[in-house]
Amino acid sequence: MGILLALSIFAWYGFYKAKAKPELIYGVWITSAFFLVLSTVGGDGARLTEFFINLNGQKFEGRMMVSVINSFFNAIQLISYLFFAAAFLQTSKYHPKTHKLIYLFTAAVVVVSFINNSRLTIGINLTSNDLIPYHLLHLFVFILLFKAAFERYRNGMNVAMFWIIGAIPYLVFRATFVLGFYGVPSIFSYLPESGFRWVIVNFYTAQSFGLALDAIIMSLVIIARNNSIQSELEQSMKSQKTLVENQRTLVENQNKVLEATVAERTQELSAKHEVVVSSVNYASRLQRGQLPGQARIDGRFASFASLWEPRDTIGGDLYWLSSSQSSGPFVLCVADCTGHGVPGAMLSLLVSNSLERIYANNTEQDPASALLDLDHYVRTGLNQDKVDSESDDGCDAA
């Protein structure tokens, strides 16, 4: 009783901390086992009647109450023990047939317990022979649980071996208790004549010793299970940490590769940009060179100023003056070509060369016919006079 009481406190504290199903069922089992031993009538007397209930002078019904209490807690501890084994070994997931058989045997325990406790009222008194199928089913369930535990151990559940070790004494003491109903002498009757032999040879006392011993081992099973879960959790966290570190290292390496690639591409783009800028600056110098020089301006205007600022260094804006080598009237043209940058600059060269061609020999051509000629030269120069022409560019000129 002292062992079971201490382990009951341990069990309920473990459930309070873990909030796990095996701890809950273990607590129910140990507590019911404590009350079973408390209400058991052994060779040394009945502890419940010695310490808590005075039956001296009471009638038969009062003594039956103690038997009913004992039978009730016997059924509870047997059912909870099987459900503890089922929860611990996870039979519902890995051994569903064994799990269903546990439910069947639970129903049998309830029925047998009800009949035994109500035999005076319902008139049914079960004999030992009547209980043979019940006890055989009990044995068969235990065999299947041992088989399930062994398979779980073989598949990597190391703590299942603790359950097997703990279940052996429980089965031995339980078998001794059951066989006593059929007149089979207790195995402890073969012990040397001693005080301990006369205590444990009683079937009920043997069951109490078996419960206490099994409870101690099963408490170690619970501890081993929790340690195993904690170890798996720590291993999982360690693996997660390693995975995160590996991912961080991978990301850092990828970032380094990306930074190197970006730097390489930036360097390439910078080199290409320098080439483009150099080409554009060179083109700007060429385009400025096509604008009228000071020789064409001198002597033709009382005052002359120009502001030429293309948006993209080069562009399609231009002004043009006819050659100063021809005497007489001169021509000034201001034009705005289609587009900006390189396309505009290319058109400006075409317009400038076309004007040179128009006024090469006759600077007295009137502006109207000169603009018609300019339109013609631009269209033919860009192949716009063809049916399949892709260009519709030109200029505004005055």
Side-chain angles (χ1 to χ4, degrees), residues 296-370:
R296 292 194 178 193
I297 298 172
D298 291 343
R300 290 181 170 179
F301 300 94
S303 108
F304 184 91
S306 65
L307 180 63
W308 184 76
E309 293 183 353
R311 190 190 72 176
D312 300 320
T313 308
I314 56 177
D317 298 329
L318 77 149
Y319 61 97
W320 179 85
L321 274 174
S322 59
S323 175
S324 60
Q325 295 179 358
S326 301
S327 60
F330 64 93
V331 179
L332 168 64
C333 178
V334 178
D336 178 14
C337 300
T338 305
H340 302 281
V342 174
M346 293 178 68
L347 271 176
S348 71
L349 288 174
L350 177 59
V351 171
S352 178
N353 290 334
S354 297
L355 290 171
E356 290 287 348
R357 183 176 180 182
I358 293 169
Y359 286 103
N361 299 317
N362 182 17
T363 58
E364 296 184 1
Q365 184 174 348
D366 65 283
S369 61

Side-chain angles (χ1 to χ4, degrees), residues 7 35 79 134 169 171-172 182 197 202 211 215 222 231 254 256 267 274 293 298 362 367 380:
L7 290 178
F35 285 104
I79 293 172
Y134 168 76
L171 180 61
V172 171
Y182 299 95
R197 184 254 188 193
N202 181 275
L211 286 172
I222 291 292
S231 177
Q254 289 177 341
K256 291 179 181 178
Q267 186 175 4
E274 291 179 1
D298 291 343
N362 182 17
T380 56

Side-chain angles (χ1 to χ4, degrees), residues 91-395:
T91 55
S92 62
K93 180 179 180 181
Y94 297 99
H95 301 276
K97 294 183 179 179
T98 301
H99 195 74
K100 293 178 180 178
L101 197 62
I102 290 174
Y103 279 106
L104 177 63
F105 181 69
T106 299
V109 172
V110 173
V111 172
V112 170
S113 178
F114 175 77
I115 293 175
N116 283 336
N117 292 326
S118 307
R119 60 181 179 271
L120 294 179
T121 57
I122 63 177
I124 300 177
N125 189 18
L126 295 175
T127 64
S128 299
N129 291 333
D130 296 330
L131 293 174
I132 289 178
Y134 168 76
H135 289 140
L136 289 177
L137 180 61
H138 187 182
L139 178 63
F140 186 58
V141 169
F142 260 96
I143 292 174
L144 290 181
L145 283 175
F146 272 100
K147 178 176 177 293
F150 179 74
E151 290 182 1
R152 294 285 284 132
Y153 172 76
R154 190 173 59 182
N155 293 331
M157 185 182 179
N158 295 329
V159 292
M161 183 56 65
F162 287 89
W163 185 89
I164 295 175
I165 296 173
I168 290 175
Y170 180 83
L171 180 61
V172 171
F173 283 97
R174 184 72 184 176
T176 301
F177 172 74
V178 172
L179 292 175
F181 289 101
Y182 299 95
V184 179
S186 170
I187 59 175
F188 302 107
S189 62
Y190 300 101
L191 292 174
E193 297 286 342
S194 66
F196 179 72
R197 184 254 188 193
W198 290 110
V199 171
I200 201 171
V201 75
N202 181 275
F203 299 120
Y204 294 97
T205 306
Q207 178 180 244
S208 299
F209 270 95
L211 286 172
L213 181 60
D214 190 44
I216 293 173
I217 298 176
M218 288 303 170
S219 66
L220 299 178
V221 171
I222 291 292
I223 294 173
R225 173 182 175 275
N226 292 339
N227 289 340
S228 176
I229 293 175
Q230 183 67 26
S231 177
E232 291 178 0
L233 180 61
E234 291 176 355
Q235 185 65 32
S236 176
M237 294 178 64
K238 185 177 180 181
S239 299
Q240 291 289 337
K241 183 179 180 181
T242 303
L243 179 61
V244 170
E245 290 177 352
N246 291 339
Q247 289 178 341
R248 183 184 297 112
T249 302
L250 179 62
V251 171
E252 290 176 353
N253 292 336
Q254 289 177 341
N255 287 339
K256 291 179 181 178
V257 172
L258 182 61
E259 290 173 358
T261 303
V262 170
E264 182 180 355
R265 295 294 183 269
T266 302
Q267 186 175 4
E268 292 177 0
L269 290 175
S270 297
K272 293 179 180 179
H273 178 70
E274 291 179 1
V275 172
V276 172
V277 170
S278 299
S279 298
V280 171
N281 289 335
Y282 185 71
S284 176
R285 187 163 68 250
L286 293 176
Q287 190 175 25
R288 286 196 304 270
Q290 76 170 355
L291 297 175
Q294 193 63 35
R296 292 194 178 193
I297 298 172
D298 291 343
R300 290 181 170 179
F301 300 94
S303 108
F304 184 91
S306 65
L307 180 63
W308 184 76
E309 293 183 353
R311 190 190 72 176
D312 300 320
T313 308
I314 56 177
D317 298 329
L318 77 149
Y319 61 97
W320 179 85
L321 274 174
S322 59
S323 175
S324 60
Q325 295 179 358
S326 301
S327 60
F330 64 93
V331 179
L332 168 64
C333 178
V334 178
D336 178 14
C337 300
T338 305
H340 302 281
V342 174
M346 293 178 68
L347 271 176
S348 71
L349 288 174
L350 177 59
V351 171
S352 178
N353 290 334
S354 297
L355 290 171
E356 290 287 348
R357 183 176 180 182
I358 293 169
Y359 286 103
N361 299 317
N362 182 17
T363 58
E364 296 184 1
Q365 184 174 348
D366 65 283
S369 61
L371 288 174
L372 288 174
D373 290 341
L374 177 62
D375 179 71
H376 170 72
Y377 289 136
V378 170
R379 288 184 183 278
T380 56
L382 297 176
N383 288 324
Q384 293 176 356
D385 55 336
K386 307 296 184 183
V387 178
D388 58 348
S389 173
E390 296 179 0
S391 173
D392 192 28
D393 300 306
C395 68

